[in-house]
Amino acid sequence: MNLHTCPKWDIFEVTVSGPSEGNPFTEQWIRGVFSGANETVRCDGFYDGEGFYRVRFMPSFEGDYTYQVSTSFGVREAGSFTVTAPGQDIHGPVRVANTCHMAYEDGTPYYSIGTTCYVWELQSDEVIADTLRTLEKSAFNKIRFCIFPKHYAHNLREPRSYPYEGTPVDSRGITPDNFWQYTGRTEGNHWDFARFNPAYFRHIENCIRKLRKLGIEADLIMMHPYDRWGFSCMSREQDDLYWNYAVARFSAFSNVWWSLANEYDLMPAKTLDDWEHYADILCRRDPYRHMRSIHNCGSYYDYSRPWITHCSLQRTDLYKSSELTEEFRNRYKKPVIWDEIAYEGNIEYGWGNISPQEMLRRFWEAAVRGGYPGHGETYLDPEDILWWSHGGVLHGESHKRFGFLLDILKQTPGHGLKPAHPDWDEVCGVPDQISSPVSDYYLIYYSFMRPGLRAFRFDENSRWQVRVIDTWNMTVEDRGILSGTFTVELPGREYMAIQLRRL
């Protein structure tokens, strides 16, 4: 047995010492080649400050590996290690599976129940601890957050630190009434965009590790427009340095996803050619092919692009969101993830004040139609700590009911739902692998409709287990085994569902 071991899908890291003079971020490099019986992976490393250079590798197979590390400053290192079985409840990176769905690398189905906390990792230690405790008690298995700090309403404080060496513009004159004037401004900031702050990125890595222990995917937002520091307006050369550095640091984490941008279409300094260029960097530099997408405000990206693994969507209509799931599934033949279907809360903006009942309705509507919904919460807070951006604690009601939905989704035969249309006035999902017009399983959701009964017509020889689901009160009532033509009585209230399973 090799003295050096690493669990499958964990990180094996090689660190060497090298020059710290000059600018190691631009003048030096470190690379590694890791080889096992089933894979050979070439990885770019990075400078981590104080003369330390690191290269990281995530093994996808068990067994013996060798490695060779080379550097621009003449240091060479070679060795071997053994990859052991993965830790408990570790299933590997998430991959696209069954066209419009996802699974972990070991084949375990992954039903995304996401949330958004844009800069939770840039808050105080106390708020970060609150966030992790809240996530641990939740059903969330994905969280979206930014690498760069965010400047927006309810987000006017400085972050805990900055990604580059330098100093920010004086923010004392920024108020809730004039914050828009500072969006996209670069004057007053003094950054060296060729010198990263390694401690900033190490902190984010520690947050990613803690999410991994909780079984939560880290959906990293690489760029966004809500910026008063100049990070959204860097040059192509500066952007390339950032992208290569971030990919080298983060790609070996099994729970990382890449989101090129939050609301890419609100960034006038970037063109479509820029976004395709960043995607090319990801495809070339990330040896693990993590999930990749880009997020919109008012204009959807072309999700047919081959580098995009899934649709990361924000609703563009005041009312419709999850109702459009089938349209995107049919158009792009990829998983449809509604990362923003508006937020439960009571703030002044229309995207942040839907009711918990409406949030839950959108979750069920998206899920039954074969998509994957995302949550956010924006309740006014005396300390201006809103979950959607800062994390902390949740104050709403919808999140308490997502685990119940997740349990129902996991009962789907096979892998994932697709929309079906047995009747015009209901939302119905059936297992995605079936090709015949008649299914052995139906999950039917009535959303804001309130039928007192529903009639079903099957052949006389089929026997069906019938269950009535109250999605808000989280109850399941077994109505027994029924055959042929039968009627299911309902309580005549909103948010009910019926589950039919052929015996």
Side-chain angles (χ1 to χ4, degrees):
M1 184 70 172
N2 201 298
L3 293 178
H4 300 289
T5 63
C6 174
K8 181 180 177 180
W9 297 312
D10 212 323
I11 294 177
F12 184 80
E13 180 175 291
V14 179
T15 302
V16 303
S17 297
S20 57
E21 64 272 8
N23 185 355
F25 297 107
T26 58
E27 298 170 4
Q28 308 294 347
W29 54 259
I30 179 172
R31 299 181 183 122
V33 179
F34 299 82
S35 299
N38 298 291
E39 65 177 344
T40 296
V41 176
R42 291 169 172 80
C43 306
D44 292 314
F46 59 93
Y47 180 62
D48 200 24
E50 299 178 338
F52 294 111
Y53 294 76
R54 308 186 194 279
V55 61
R56 291 170 172 163
F57 168 63
M58 181 191 73
S60 297
F61 299 91
E62 296 177 36
D64 293 329
Y65 279 76
T66 61
Y67 67 87
Q68 294 181 331
V69 171
S70 58
T71 68
S72 57
F73 43 88
V75 173
R76 301 286 187 270
E77 186 169 320
S80 62
F81 61 99
T82 298
V83 177
T84 58
Q88 185 176 6
D89 298 325
I90 299 297
H91 303 288
V94 171
R95 309 294 190 195
V96 174
N98 199 16
T99 305
C100 290
H101 302 285
M102 294 162 287
Y104 296 100
E105 194 163 280
D106 69 355
T108 302
Y110 172 75
Y111 294 93
S112 178
I113 301 290
T115 190
T116 293
C117 295
Y118 282 121
V119 284
W120 73 277
E121 86 284 16
L122 301 182
Q123 308 307 307
S124 67
D125 289 344
E126 293 75 17
V127 173
I128 290 174
D130 285 341
T131 305
L132 291 168
R133 281 192 291 267
T134 301
L135 290 171
E136 186 176 13
K137 294 183 291 185
S138 78
F140 297 125
N141 54 27
K142 183 171 83 75
I143 181 171
R144 303 170 63 231
F145 60 99
C146 303
I147 302 300
F148 288 134
K150 182 177 182 180
H151 167 77
Y152 191 62
H154 305 287
N155 293 268
L156 303 181
R157 300 188 187 100
E158 294 297 321
R160 63 187 289 145
S161 62
Y162 302 94
Y164 294 95
E165 291 186 11
T167 55
V169 65
D170 188 342
S171 62
R172 286 176 293 181
I174 301 175
T175 70
D177 296 323
N178 69 3
F179 74 94
W180 285 111
Q181 301 173 21
Y182 292 84
T183 298
R185 287 177 56 172
T186 59
E187 64 270 18
N189 293 296
H190 299 281
W191 304 114
D192 185 344
F193 289 121
R195 291 182 179 273
F196 298 102
N197 174 10
Y200 182 93
F201 291 89
R202 283 197 295 269
H203 170 72
I204 293 177
E205 289 166 355
N206 288 333
C207 291
I208 294 173
R209 287 189 183 94
K210 291 173 181 177
L211 293 173
R212 185 175 183 268
K213 289 181 179 179
L214 297 177
I216 297 174
E217 303 297 300
D219 195 350
L220 303 181
I221 298 170
M222 298 294 288
M223 291 181 161
H224 66 83
Y226 302 107
D227 168 43
R228 67 170 181 264
W229 301 276
F231 306 137
S232 63
C233 304
M234 297 187 296
S235 69
R236 171 68 72 92
E237 182 180 14
Q238 292 163 346
D239 283 343
D240 284 3
L241 188 65
Y242 160 66
W243 278 88
N244 286 317
Y245 189 73
V247 173
R249 292 201 72 125
F250 299 140
S251 63
F253 290 91
S254 64
N255 61 323
V256 156
W257 295 26
W258 305 111
S259 178
L260 270 67
N262 186 74
E263 300 182 338
Y264 81 96
D265 47 331
L266 296 188
M267 298 183 68
K270 308 302 177 188
T271 66
L272 287 177
D273 180 68
D274 287 324
W275 298 119
E276 292 296 310
H277 174 69
Y278 307 143
D280 180 64
I281 292 176
L282 273 181
C283 292
R284 287 187 292 108
R285 300 288 188 177
D286 172 14
Y288 312 106
R289 310 180 315 282
H290 288 295
M291 300 291 285
R292 301 181 298 260
S293 194
I294 188 168
H295 170 272
N296 68 286
C297 180
S299 177
Y300 291 116
Y301 207 83
D302 177 8
Y303 292 102
S304 66
R305 298 296 300 159
W307 63 266
I308 295 179
T309 60
H310 64 284
C311 304
S312 171
L313 305 174
Q314 177 174 194
R315 61 99 181 88
T316 60
D317 184 272
L318 180 60
Y319 302 108
K320 291 183 292 185
S321 57
S322 303
E323 295 85 352
L324 302 176
T325 300
E326 185 174 2
E327 177 182 335
F328 282 94
R329 279 176 51 105
N330 292 338
R331 183 185 304 170
Y332 296 114
K333 304 294 189 296
K334 294 179 180 181
V336 173
I337 299 181
W338 288 100
D339 281 315
E340 288 192 62
I341 48 178
Y343 299 147
E344 176 188 347
N346 61 0
I347 63 171
E348 63 269 40
Y349 303 108
W351 49 262
N353 52 33
I354 65 172
S355 69
Q357 291 84 358
E358 176 60 12
M359 175 63 82
L360 187 67
R361 184 197 71 80
R362 296 184 186 197
F363 257 67
W364 272 83
E365 188 105 359
V368 175
R369 291 178 183 272
Y372 296 94
H375 158 274
E377 185 184 283
T378 47
Y379 282 104
L380 292 170
D381 180 79
E383 297 183 13
D384 231 15
I385 299 176
L386 283 67
W387 175 265
W388 132 91
S389 199
H390 309 94
V393 298
L394 286 161
H395 303 282
E397 290 294 325
S398 64
H399 72 276
K400 302 174 184 177
R401 293 157 171 84
F402 297 153
F404 181 74
L405 168 60
L406 182 59
D407 289 342
I408 298 294
L409 291 177
K410 288 180 178 179
Q411 296 170 18
T412 304
H415 192 165
L417 291 170
K418 69 177 180 181
H421 305 282
D423 221 332
W424 68 273
D425 58 348
E426 62 190 15
V427 178
C428 179
V430 298
D432 209 337
Q433 74 270 20
I434 70 164
S435 56
S436 67
V438 179
S439 175
D440 292 332
Y441 178 87
Y442 297 90
L443 183 61
I444 307 164
Y445 180 57
Y446 297 105
S447 70
F448 47 73
M449 296 174 284
R450 304 182 300 165
L453 55 87
R454 293 293 288 188
F456 297 91
R457 297 169 180 84
F458 299 102
D459 65 86
E460 293 296 328
N461 295 322
S462 63
R463 301 169 63 244
W464 295 87
Q465 180 188 47
V466 181
R467 304 202 306 170
V468 173
I469 300 169
D470 186 326
T471 68
W472 181 258
N473 293 310
M474 296 182 287
T475 61
V476 178
E477 183 181 353
D478 191 343
R479 295 295 180 85
I481 310 301
L482 303 177
S483 301
T485 298
F486 54 86
T487 297
V488 178
E489 294 186 357
L490 294 166
R493 59 175 179 264
E494 298 171 312
Y495 318 125
M496 303 299 297
I498 294 177
Q499 184 187 57
L500 303 176
R501 187 188 303 270
R502 189 197 302 265
L503 299 181

